[in-house]
Amino acid sequence: MCHHRAGSSQWRMPSAFPASYHPSFATLSEMSPHQQNELKSSAPETSRWLPPLPILFNEEAHRYQWQPTGQWLGHSVTQVCKGTKDEWAMRRIMETKHIWEPRGKAVHLALETFLTTGEPGVYPADYSEWVEPLLEHSVWNTYEAVACEYRLCDLERNIAGSLDCLLRRKDDHTQLVLVDLKTQGKADASPYDVSPQLGGYLGMLSLHWPKLYVQKAGVLWSRPGSTTLQKVDVDEAVIEWQGARDAFLMLNQPEF
């Protein structure tokens, strides 16, 4: 199990990331000492932001590459989670992709720009009903981002993904929350289960940052005219991810 409960003595994140605070690549053995030192030297002495991992994302192909070895990851968190949906749900998702995909990209970009610069940037007016309530949500009064669109991977299982944002309390930097953003087309739309997806990010965070302790998780549901925050149990999310991941890999393992 890759998550630790509140009673654990697990080390917690300091108020800033020192240059010496880096993920444990030794357990992966793919990164040479020279590459590790190069990554360390590129980080500032102190930073609010979690240092990026050496993962390249090809948006057009939606594929991730582990740069130290050039390995392309064969699966994504999204693929694994789609494997848990039935045929009717998948058909409906693909039929409406031309609607939700551009909306999702625009709203995600507005949030990322807001969290990294303090401003929403320029976004299509068609999506202002989603963007404005999202950026005015009360959560931003209490929390600030330490990672946005952060790329992660599980090299052993050949899976990668990008979490939307990792937040910390402004008045207590040891308090971390993983948050995923979802957009929906109707104001009265019902939320659906995204726990496996968040569990995937939590699990991969623990692989690269074994001393990072994320206490909470949640989903921001962005709908026309309103945004709501739904809490997700971190331990249940990790368990759901492990089940979905193992089932997916069993069905998609190579013949030889």
Side-chain angles (χ1 to χ4, degrees), residues 99-108 127 130 183-185 222:
I99 298 174
W100 57 257
E101 186 175 54
R103 181 186 68 223
K105 286 183 176 180
V107 179
H108 275 78
Y127 303 124
W130 286 265
T183 69
Q184 293 184 300
S222 174

Side-chain angles (χ1 to χ4, degrees), residues 1 14 17 31 38 67 73 118 120 131 166 186 217 225-226 239 249:
M1 184 97 173
F17 298 103
M31 180 172 277
E38 196 173 62
Q67 291 181 289
L73 286 302
V131 174
L166 182 64
K186 297 181 180 179
S226 69
I239 292 172
L249 292 176

Side-chain angles (χ1 to χ4, degrees), residues 27-211:
T27 57
L28 304 175
S29 72
E30 279 82 7
M31 180 172 277
S32 69
H34 171 73
Q35 289 169 325
Q36 291 186 41
N37 290 333
E38 196 173 62
L39 180 63
K40 291 178 182 180
S41 64
S42 67
E45 282 302 314
T46 58
S47 173
R48 161 183 159 185
W49 301 95
L50 188 67
L53 298 170
I55 301 173
L56 175 70
F57 179 58
N58 183 317
E59 186 170 0
E60 185 175 348
H62 200 84
R63 294 193 66 192
Y64 295 83
Q65 182 187 51
W66 179 251
Q67 291 181 289
T69 61
Q71 175 186 346
W72 286 96
L73 286 302
H75 310 297
S76 69
V77 172
T78 303
Q79 281 180 301
V80 173
C81 294
K82 282 182 178 178
T84 63
K85 298 182 183 296
D86 60 39
E87 185 178 339
W88 181 89
M90 283 305 305
R91 185 167 62 248
R92 178 60 181 161
I93 288 172
M94 296 311 297
E95 287 174 352
T96 57
K97 184 177 180 179
H98 65 287
I99 298 174
W100 57 257
E101 186 175 54
R103 181 186 68 223
K105 286 183 176 180
V107 179
H108 275 78
L109 181 57
L111 178 61
E112 180 185 7
T113 305
F114 171 73
L115 292 178
T116 54
T117 70
E119 299 291 336
V122 179
Y123 56 87
D126 291 348
Y127 303 124
S128 61
E129 284 187 276
W130 286 265
V131 174
E132 291 175 4
L134 173 63
L135 304 190
E136 292 169 359
H137 196 278
S138 59
V139 68
W140 313 125
N141 297 328
T142 307
Y143 290 90
E144 62 186 3
V146 295
C148 292
E149 294 299 324
Y150 193 81
R151 297 164 190 162
L152 294 159
C153 70
D154 180 340
L155 288 174
E156 181 182 349
R157 296 178 178 86
N158 204 24
I159 302 172
S162 299
L163 63 81
D164 287 339
C165 50
L166 182 64
L167 309 177
R168 71 181 181 189
R169 281 189 67 99
K170 294 178 181 179
D171 60 355
D172 182 357
H173 293 173
T174 67
Q175 298 296 311
L176 297 178
V177 183
L178 175 69
V179 173
D180 194 64
L181 170 64
K182 298 295 183 188
T183 69
Q184 293 184 300
K186 297 181 180 179
D188 60 351
S190 300
Y192 50 91
D193 183 22
V194 294
S195 292
Q197 184 178 352
L198 271 69
Y201 301 141
L202 288 163
M204 290 191 289
L205 268 173
S206 73
L207 291 176
H208 295 282
W209 301 97
K211 295 182 179 180

